[in-house]
Amino acid sequence: MRRLPFITFEGSEASGKSTQAQRLAARLDRSGVPYLFTREPGGTPIGETIRELLQFASHNSGMTPETELLLFEASRSQLVREIIEPALEGGMCVIADRFFDSTTAYQGAARKLDRETIERFNLFAVGDCIPNVTFVLDVDAATANSRMQQPRRPDRMEQEPEEFYERVRQAYRELAAREPNRIVLIDGSRNAEEIESQISAIVSARFPALAMNPQSAIRHPRS
Ligand code: TMP
């Protein structure tokens, strides 16, 4: 069976990655391409329980970086085997809002866990399920802060100081430089329509099976 690509979106909080992941999914939808949309942590019943524990559980404030790493990897290994691999094998394109580069950026660079350990655990969790292309939405801290929706309850990560997010951003930029064939760094400070067009053009050029009719673009409410 024809195999469609596995596409991931990465970036720090309020980078616009979730908006762009959803916009690409909507374009595939309008073009009649079969696709599956998922997110991390979560995406399975086990993963969603882990997400709650990581982000909002009342007793999670003392979580160690090592525990955090293992929980993200546990959620990921479940998602890959229960959802992503079967979808790819079934001829679907898969779009994921975050995947293993998040662990490299957040638990590796920002929490300062050993880089080689992170790489080993990432590969243990995903096996050979590696994204075909990854879009990193790059925004500076001031832009991200100005986009944060208020008021809402911040999750555990969102309570981290600005230096934490600077390390996350730097790590994504380094990853993009290290893996230029897979990772595309996108200037996330532009408006959502421009970014959507850029991503859609790259996807169409790299994966002709997904070639999307530019006319299929519709106007979206501001996000
Ligand atoms: P988000 O889906 O709203 O971006 O929230 C997920 C949070 O979890 C975000 O703060 C990034 C963080 N995260 C990690 O620290 N490591 C990971 O491996 C993943 C997938 C997410």
Side-chain angles (χ1 to χ4, degrees), residues 4 29 39 55 115:
L4 294 181
D29 202 41
R39 69 162 180 184
Q55 294 192 324
R115 182 64 173 258

Side-chain angles (χ1 to χ4, degrees), residues 10-14 17-18 39-41 51 54-55 68-69 72-73 76 97-107 111 122 152 155-158 164-165 172:
E10 296 279 355
S12 58
E13 275 71 0
K17 68 173 172 51
S18 302
R39 69 162 180 184
E40 276 205 10
R51 182 182 180 93
L54 278 161
Q55 294 192 324
E68 184 179 283
L69 167 67
F72 280 117
E73 299 293 10
R76 177 167 306 129
D97 183 351
R98 293 196 184 282
F99 198 58
F100 61 3
D101 298 308
S102 286
T103 306
T104 306
Y106 284 79
Q107 282 65 53
R111 293 270 191 246
N122 272 345
R152 70 177 173 82
D155 66 34
R156 196 172 50 89
M157 284 304 190
E158 287 167 355
F164 182 91
Y165 288 102
Y172 276 130

